[in-house]
Amino acid sequence: MDVDWESLRTAAREVATRAYAPYSHYPVGAAALVDDGRTVVGCNVENAAYGVTLCAECGLVSSLVAGGGGRLVAFTCVNGNDDLIMPCGRCRQLLHEHGGPSLLVDTPEGVWTLAQVLPQAFGPQDLADVTGPIDR
């Protein structure tokens, strides 16, 4: 599948303007291409109880699941200055769950696979090896 990275970056920049970041003043927007051709987006949504703040990737994956699911194939994330940024550790794990090791990630150093960004990731297969197949 061909990835229009500029279109994904534009979608991420646009959704970052909708972020709810009254505490950090650090808006984040994320966009991803789904295996069926859809684009899904998400922005960070902060909360006065900082620990329950939702990262942009959380909103993106919620949009993916609410829209019928699928697998993420390409992902990008920007801050309020339109700089490419890296997902935090928790979000890398979330992206692994919904895109897997072959997910293409737009990083400040170029496009990497998620396997390069999150080597030796723990995922659904690790659980299935012990408990049996995971229902989706």
Side-chain angles (χ1 to χ4, degrees), residues 89-90 92-98 100-101 114 118-131 134:
R90 177 181 92 161
R92 292 176 194 199
Q93 185 66 36
L94 187 63
L95 292 169
H96 182 267
E97 182 90 9
H98 296 277
L114 192 56
L118 185 64
Q120 301 183 45
F122 180 87
Q125 186 56 46
D126 295 295
L127 294 173
D129 289 344
V130 175
T131 64
I134 306 298

Side-chain angles (χ1 to χ4, degrees), residues 19-35:
Y20 179 73
Y23 306 104
S24 71
H25 305 288
Y26 191 80
V28 176
L33 179 63
V34 182
D35 60 0

Side-chain angles (χ1 to χ4, degrees), residues 34-40 59-72 98 136:
V34 182
D35 60 0
D36 64 6
R38 284 179 295 142
T39 297
V40 290
L60 181 144
V61 169
S62 291
S63 178
L64 171 73
V65 172
R71 299 296 287 169
L72 301 174
H98 296 277
R136 287 197 185 249

Side-chain angles (χ1 to χ4, degrees), residues 69-113:
R71 299 296 287 169
L72 301 174
V73 296
F75 170 86
T76 192
C77 193
V78 300
N79 65 20
N81 291 334
D82 297 340
D83 301 320
L84 286 176
I85 59 173
M86 292 297 292
C88 70
R90 177 181 92 161
C91 290
R92 292 176 194 199
Q93 185 66 36
L94 187 63
L95 292 169
H96 182 267
E97 182 90 9
H98 296 277
S102 63
L103 172 64
L104 300 175
V105 180
D106 195 15
T107 81
E109 296 185 7
V111 176
W112 293 15
T113 66

